[in-house]
Amino acid sequence: MNRSRRLLLVCASSVALFAGVALPAVAQVAPSDPWAQASSDIPSDSAVRFGTLDNGMRYAILRNATPPGQASLRLRIDAGSLMENEDQLGLAHFTEHMAFNGTTNIPENDLLRILERLGLAFGADTNAATGFDQTFYQLELPRTNDETVDTALRIMREQVSEALFAAEAIDEERGVIVGEERTRNTPQLRSLKAQLALWAPGQRIADRLPIGDLEIIRTAPRERFVAFYEAYYRPSRATMIAVGDFDVDVMEQKVRTAFADWTPRAADGPEPDLGRVAPRGPETRILVEPGIQSSVQINWTRDPDLDPDSVSERREDTVLGLGLAVLNRRFGELAREDNPPFLGGGASSDTLFNSLDLSSVSASFNPGGLKRALETIEQETRRIAQFGVTAQELQREITDRRTALENAVAAAATRTTPGLAGGLLGATNANRVFTSPPTNLDLFNAAVAGLTPEAVLAALRPAFQGQGPLVLVITPEPIEGGEAAVTGWLEASRATPVQARAEATALNWPYTSFGEPAAPAERREIAELGATVLTFPNGVRLTVKPTDFRDEQILISVRTGLGELGLPTDRVTPTPLAGGTFTAGGLGQLTLDELNRVLSGRIYSVGFGVEGDAYRLSGTTRPQDLDLQLQVLAAYLTDPGLRPAPFERIKGLFPQIIAQQSATPAGAFGLQAPGLLASGDARQGLPSAETVASFTNDQLKATLTEGLSQGPIEIVVVGDTTVDAVAAAVGATFGALPARGARPAVPAGGDVLRFPAGTPQPVALTHSGPADQALAYVAWPTTDAVADATEARQLDVLAAVMELRVLDRIREELAIAYSPGVGSSSSDVFAGYGSIFASAQTSPENLATFFAEMDAIAAALRDAQIDEDELTRARAPQIEALRRALAGNEYWLTQLVDASSDANAVNDVVNHIADLEAVTPAMLQALAQRYLNADRAWRAQVVSAAAAAN
């Protein structure tokens, strides 16, 4: 069986867990699919050990030590919702759930607990997903000792061969699945259904979304589950993927021991008839979906390309991909113009689940902008299909792609274990050869050798041909004139002549000098953290931590100013828009597109954010581009473009953002909760669409210019570098700037956030989505992590204990919510501000039940100490997640922010694991008694506006 070359539209669900196995007899059967390399001229990655057991099960094993001492397991079943019969719609996904609800050797309630004791967190480390053409189970192992690995393999073996499907367990899980469907029933999902109906009428993928049919979910008898499980959960459809810090020989033997005697219990399930791509003429459809982003797409469908993976296929993909990259860059440049024709556009060409080849061009726009957006994407697509790409454009895409591939070769030794496991899973599902970074680079170089714009044009033209064009407009409001108007606009646009693209003007990078380079005036070691603090004569302070976690990765953070501390508390400012406008505004001497063009082939990035106590610029680079990355960040600090076009784009988009968020309970809550939970502090609230409409770019520019010009500059650099290299790069950029003054004073009251008073009756909020959707939220005020994080960490453990109980009670026993969650937040900026909170998306009739159950859970935590086992299951995943983070540059970038000036920050880092390990049941009970008081709890509920009005 061939597989689509790319995996799209996966609908995931979170679950997973354990097993002790009674092993049946061995059977000799052939695998359903040989490895892709068996019939390909592409060499597979020689570091991976590929194998097949006698029963037909395949395995791929790869040693990788990033992060050290850990492993990722994926067990793929070659079956998804496409394999369902008409009376089984949704049962592939439901079966995935049932694999965690009791097996031959593991009682239902023991599944999660076994892995939690080993340090695996539900969702983060134990998970599963069902798509159209596959189901996979995953475990992220914090250790690779025998106990952990053997337990994990037994779990996965038990899941795929020994699920019980007890009738009462199925009935209990029905409510969870219904809750998941309710949670996922968003405007975006309804739009996806409309797309599939347009792309593939009469084909199987059009009516096989994994969530399935609610009536079948509510009523399907046990026999239907068992029939699907036994037909498709079988060794010849299974592939085990193991990547991690282990001996490959040992892991291979463990896999063989766990799975070699797995035998099927029934005949292999049939391969589905996917249907044929029907002959189609031009069609136009309009989906009116309140709360959706306005968009238009033009599609062409063709019979699927099912040729096996080969050098020639990869070359075709590469050439077409370069052409589409040019078109996508053109769309991006158009979207960043003054008065742009659309908010954003894109082009793609893909094979969907062996069912059809699909090429699409699309654009998002503000209401009223459909005609112009449609004309622009049609004409730009026709322009490239008629005249092709320029030599300059082609060379730029080749350079950027080659640079990324060369960097991947240089960083290959420290690729992450989860990333490699995901790559192997994707290659297996797509029936593609899993190749090494050097092979990828070699294939690319061979594909582009002598490549001409004419050859790219020859690859592009067929992509925009086929059945169609099929136009789909997705809009929150009706289109005047309906489908006939849209069709007329398209036909008129197609009659409009287009001209060839002109070559762009050559540019130079102007930001190479920031003053006289400076050497550090002071140097101090923080031995406990392996970091060095350097202070430059102008006051710039630099903290550097060289690491060997990831080859070719350097992370940089630059902080200055007061951030939110300096903003007014009683009125909303344009500052919340800065994240979407600052970097898009480019630099004073270069627009963003000019910046990207002049720095083609270099690896750098720019991020910007307004944090609680600072404005922050960030970047990711490699050793050879370190100097450039610091130049880019220094240029953004000293000469940001802050052009009006990105600001006007966000202003125009903002009403749609509000409408989209308001269409779901979680989105509506996310809009309003930050301000409510800060007692109306304007810095935490989101401005209304009317307020945003009154903002000007000059206002935002003045705020940011002033904020970025005040106070010392603090820089943290972590990664594959040396202290001397960073000191030289910073000395030539930030260290060369004029000295800056002391940190400005925080305005009166600016350092205060107040948690709201308790609400005996929930605050009533509304959303604009379906009436059966609701959300419940409860939060108890706690404390901060400003001077000492110890108690905040103890509260994290208390929240984890509460989450175990919430999952057991709210999800499993009562089945009133699919994914209830509990968390703890303690501010490191605002003294006294923090909370433990719980939430669940449920149905309106279950809101009162949720609040009553949360009161009962909080009371139980106050009234009695938990036992050691529950403490272990709550705490161990936190400790293991921290240990995993310690082996990553991202963790250290955040932890070193205050280390240069705050001894408490150093102690907090050093003592983090010890703080967690020191937590006792008595401590948690004392915290619960101190903070989990019913009269201080702030409650809110979100229901449909339509339901609230009745």
Side-chain angles (χ1 to χ4, degrees):
M1 297 171 290
N2 285 302
R3 286 282 167 232
S4 316
R5 284 178 289 172
R6 300 166 185 85
L7 174 65
L8 303 176
L9 313 175
V10 172
C11 296
S13 65
S14 297
V15 266
L17 292 356
F18 177 118
V21 181
L23 302 174
V26 177
Q28 301 287 329
V29 296
S32 57
D33 279 336
W35 289 106
Q37 58 266 26
S39 58
S40 176
D41 54 358
I42 300 175
S44 63
D45 189 335
S46 60
V48 182
R49 180 170 298 176
F50 296 94
T52 306
L53 301 180
D54 289 341
N55 61 9
M57 178 176 169
R58 299 184 300 175
Y59 58 83
I61 303 173
L62 173 63
R63 185 184 185 279
N64 189 69
T66 305
Q70 298 170 35
S72 295
L73 303 183
R74 307 285 186 269
L75 180 51
R76 174 183 180 270
I77 299 297
D78 185 20
S81 59
L82 287 174
M83 282 68 177
E84 296 166 344
N85 295 328
E86 291 299 322
D87 65 352
Q88 293 177 324
L89 300 184
L91 297 197
H93 168 245
F94 204 147
T95 294
E96 170 217 314
H97 278 240
M98 294 310 299
F100 309 117
N101 278 279
T103 63
T104 301
N105 298 289
I106 310 164
E108 177 182 354
N109 293 332
D110 287 353
L111 292 173
L112 277 173
R113 296 175 182 179
I114 292 168
L115 287 179
E116 288 164 350
R117 293 175 190 124
L118 293 174
L120 281 77
F122 176 74
D125 303 317
T126 64
N127 216 321
T130 302
F132 285 86
D133 57 356
Q134 72 168 348
T135 302
F136 67 86
Y137 300 82
Q138 70 178 56
L139 296 176
E140 299 295 341
L141 307 186
R143 304 175 190 275
T144 53
N145 57 11
D146 287 344
E147 178 189 11
T148 303
V149 173
D150 292 346
T151 299
L153 291 173
R154 290 197 308 270
I155 288 168
M156 290 182 144
R157 166 59 195 276
E158 190 96 352
Q159 286 177 304
V160 296
S161 69
E162 300 297 324
L164 292 178
F165 296 99
E168 60 274 17
I170 291 173
D171 288 341
E172 291 170 357
E173 195 68 16
R174 295 187 201 274
V176 175
I177 304 290
V178 170
E180 182 173 359
E181 191 279 340
R182 183 174 56 241
T183 300
R184 296 187 187 282
N185 183 20
T186 62
Q188 291 72 28
L189 182 65
R190 296 190 288 273
S191 298
L192 173 58
K193 292 179 180 179
Q195 292 177 60
L196 291 171
L198 176 65
W199 297 339
Q203 291 189 260
R204 203 171 182 89
I205 62 169
D207 63 357
R208 284 298 190 280
L209 280 171
I211 197 63
D213 181 283
L214 280 182
E215 182 61 23
I216 292 173
I217 289 167
R218 290 187 175 108
T219 62
R222 176 182 184 275
E223 291 73 20
R224 283 190 218 162
F225 291 87
V226 174
F228 183 88
Y229 184 72
E230 292 185 348
Y232 291 104
Y233 278 60
R234 52 198 307 109
S236 61
R237 288 182 173 271
T239 303
M240 169 59 72
I241 294 166
V243 182
D245 192 5
F246 46 65
D247 182 281
V248 170
D249 291 336
V250 172
M251 179 58 78
E252 181 179 35
Q253 186 55 51
K254 288 180 179 294
V255 170
R256 288 184 171 275
T257 299
F259 291 95
D261 56 359
W262 176 17
T263 57
R265 296 174 178 167
D268 193 1
E271 286 301 300
D273 180 357
L274 301 178
R276 300 282 299 178
V277 176
R280 312 274 293 281
E283 293 184 33
T284 300
R285 304 268 182 87
I286 297 174
L287 172 67
V288 178
E289 181 63 58
I292 197 69
Q293 167 67 56
S294 300
S295 66
V296 58
Q297 57 183 236
I298 307 174
N299 307 282
W300 296 264
T301 62
R302 300 174 298 280
D303 290 333
D305 177 5
L306 302 181
D307 293 338
D309 194 14
S310 66
V311 171
S312 63
E313 285 284 303
R314 295 277 181 108
R315 184 183 187 282
E316 290 177 11
D317 284 352
T318 296
V319 175
L320 175 58
L322 291 169
L324 291 173
V326 171
L327 180 55
N328 279 315
R329 196 179 294 274
R330 291 182 183 181
F331 283 154
E333 291 171 354
L334 286 166
R336 288 185 286 271
E337 289 180 346
D338 293 338
N339 189 27
F342 45 64
L343 300 171
S348 64
S349 185
D350 232 326
T351 300
L352 299 188
F353 308 107
N354 287 354
S355 298
L356 72 154
D357 277 7
L358 173 74
S359 295
S360 295
V361 291
S362 61
S364 58
F365 56 90
N366 284 324
L370 169 59
K371 181 176 182 291
R372 191 171 171 220
L374 176 63
E375 291 170 343
T376 303
I377 61 172
E378 186 282 320
Q379 291 170 25
E380 281 303 313
T381 303
R382 186 156 41 88
R383 187 192 319 279
I384 204 169
Q386 183 174 339
F387 296 105
V389 304
T390 68
Q392 184 186 62
E393 288 176 314
L394 175 58
Q395 188 55 51
R396 177 179 177 183
E397 301 305 335
I398 290 174
T399 298
D400 283 355
R401 179 74 184 278
R402 180 181 283 127
T403 298
L405 291 169
E406 289 173 342
N407 198 58
V409 171
T414 53
R415 291 172 290 174
T416 66
T417 287
L420 285 165
L424 276 163
L425 177 67
T428 301
N429 190 55
N431 199 29
R432 282 172 64 92
V433 180
F434 182 79
T435 46
S436 67
T439 297
N440 294 335
L441 178 60
D442 290 344
L443 290 169
F444 177 79
N445 283 334
V448 301
L451 184 63
T452 64
E454 291 74 20
V456 175
L457 176 58
L460 276 170
R461 279 179 173 160
F464 304 116
Q465 298 171 0
Q467 309 304 324
L470 311 173
V471 178
L472 177 63
V473 178
I474 302 174
T475 172
E477 55 191 40
I479 302 298
E480 186 175 355
E483 295 173 354
V486 176
T487 299
W489 295 336
L490 178 63
E491 291 174 349
S493 179
R494 295 173 73 181
T496 303
V498 294
Q499 304 299 319
R501 180 91 163 194
E503 293 280 8
T505 305
L507 297 168
N508 293 311
W509 173 240
Y511 296 95
T512 57
S513 178
F514 295 86
E516 187 67 27
E522 298 178 12
R523 175 174 178 141
R524 176 169 58 89
E525 305 296 329
I526 307 179
E528 305 96 313
L529 306 182
T532 301
V533 179
L534 306 171
T535 304
F536 289 83
N538 65 351
V540 169
R541 188 155 50 202
L542 167 66
T543 303
V544 185
K545 180 178 174 63
T547 72
D548 58 4
F549 303 140
R550 295 287 303 277
D551 292 343
E552 300 294 304
Q553 184 191 70
I554 302 172
L555 306 183
I556 301 172
S557 170
V558 180
R559 301 173 84 245
T560 193
L562 290 176
E564 290 179 359
L565 287 174
L567 299 178
T569 62
D570 58 349
R571 61 183 174 85
V572 179
T573 71
T575 310
L577 307 186
T581 63
F582 185 84
T583 58
L587 298 169
Q589 299 183 56
L590 296 170
T591 67
L592 180 62
D593 293 313
E594 291 170 338
L595 172 66
N596 291 336
R597 189 162 75 244
V598 76
L599 298 182
S600 176
R602 311 295 293 274
I603 292 182
Y604 71 99
S605 67
V606 184
F608 178 77
V610 182
E611 300 183 340
D613 58 351
Y615 295 93
R616 179 174 180 261
L617 285 160
S618 59
T620 300
T621 188
R622 59 181 176 175
Q624 71 187 77
D625 288 325
L626 176 63
D627 291 342
L628 172 71
Q629 176 70 79
L630 268 301
Q631 290 172 2
V632 171
L633 294 176
Y636 263 103
L637 178 69
T638 59
D639 190 29
L642 294 169
R643 290 176 172 80
F647 182 81
E648 294 302 322
R649 177 180 180 274
I650 291 295
K651 277 185 62 175
L653 179 61
F654 204 80
Q656 288 200 83
I657 295 175
I658 298 294
Q660 289 171 57
Q661 291 291 100
S662 299
T664 66
F669 184 72
L671 289 176
Q672 302 170 73
L676 293 171
L677 289 166
S679 299
D681 191 305
R683 296 170 296 180
Q684 306 303 312
L686 192 70
S688 67
E690 294 74 19
T691 300
V692 168
S694 71
F695 290 152
T696 68
N697 188 59
D698 286 342
Q699 290 173 323
L700 179 61
K701 189 173 185 177
T703 299
L704 294 180
T705 300
E706 180 183 13
L708 289 169
S709 66
Q710 299 182 32
I713 299 171
E714 300 273 353
I715 304 173
V716 178
V717 180
V718 178
D720 183 12
T721 188
T722 65
V723 174
D724 289 344
V726 177
V730 171
T733 51
F734 293 94
L737 298 174
R740 295 159 65 104
R743 191 169 191 252
V746 177
D751 58 352
V752 176
L753 275 188
R754 294 184 177 86
F755 199 85
T759 54
Q761 295 301 314
V763 174
L765 306 174
T766 61
H767 66 89
S768 60
D772 67 341
Q773 296 181 346
L775 179 143
Y777 180 94
V778 57
W780 297 264
T782 56
T783 189
D784 62 80
V786 175
D788 183 356
T790 302
E791 185 168 275
R793 290 165 179 171
Q794 294 167 356
L795 288 166
D796 288 341
V797 179
L798 178 60
V801 172
M802 178 180 281
E803 183 164 58
L804 294 179
R805 297 191 177 189
V806 166
L807 289 171
D808 282 348
R809 183 62 178 162
I810 302 295
R811 174 182 163 124
E812 298 302 328
E813 294 180 20
L814 298 176
I816 63 172
Y818 163 61
S819 57
V822 179
S824 176
S825 175
S826 298
S827 176
D828 57 3
V829 174
F830 299 101
Y833 192 75
S835 67
I836 285 179
F837 52 89
S839 66
Q841 293 192 62
T842 185
S843 57
E845 62 269 20
N846 285 318
L847 290 169
T849 301
F850 173 83
F851 289 118
E853 292 295 333
M854 291 310 307
D855 286 344
I857 290 170
L861 290 170
R862 294 193 306 265
D863 295 344
Q865 289 186 22
I866 66 172
D867 61 32
E868 287 290 342
D869 181 68
E870 192 172 18
L871 174 58
T872 297
R873 292 190 294 110
R875 178 175 56 189
Q878 292 188 342
I879 292 174
E880 296 303 340
L882 177 57
R883 287 190 172 123
R884 184 181 299 126
L886 285 164
N889 292 324
E890 294 79 5
Y891 169 84
W892 290 103
L893 189 73
T894 61
Q895 296 301 307
L896 291 173
V897 165
D898 297 319
S900 63
S901 58
D902 185 352
N904 287 329
V906 176
N907 292 331
D908 281 345
V909 175
V910 171
N911 296 326
H912 197 164
I913 289 179
D915 284 346
L916 296 175
E917 291 176 334
V919 172
T920 65
M923 285 180 184
L924 297 184
Q925 185 182 18
L927 289 172
Q929 291 172 342
R930 186 180 313 157
Y931 293 118
L932 299 183
N933 299 314
D935 59 345
R936 298 185 64 198
W938 187 86
R939 302 170 179 86
Q941 64 183 39
V942 189
V943 300
S944 167
N950 292 333

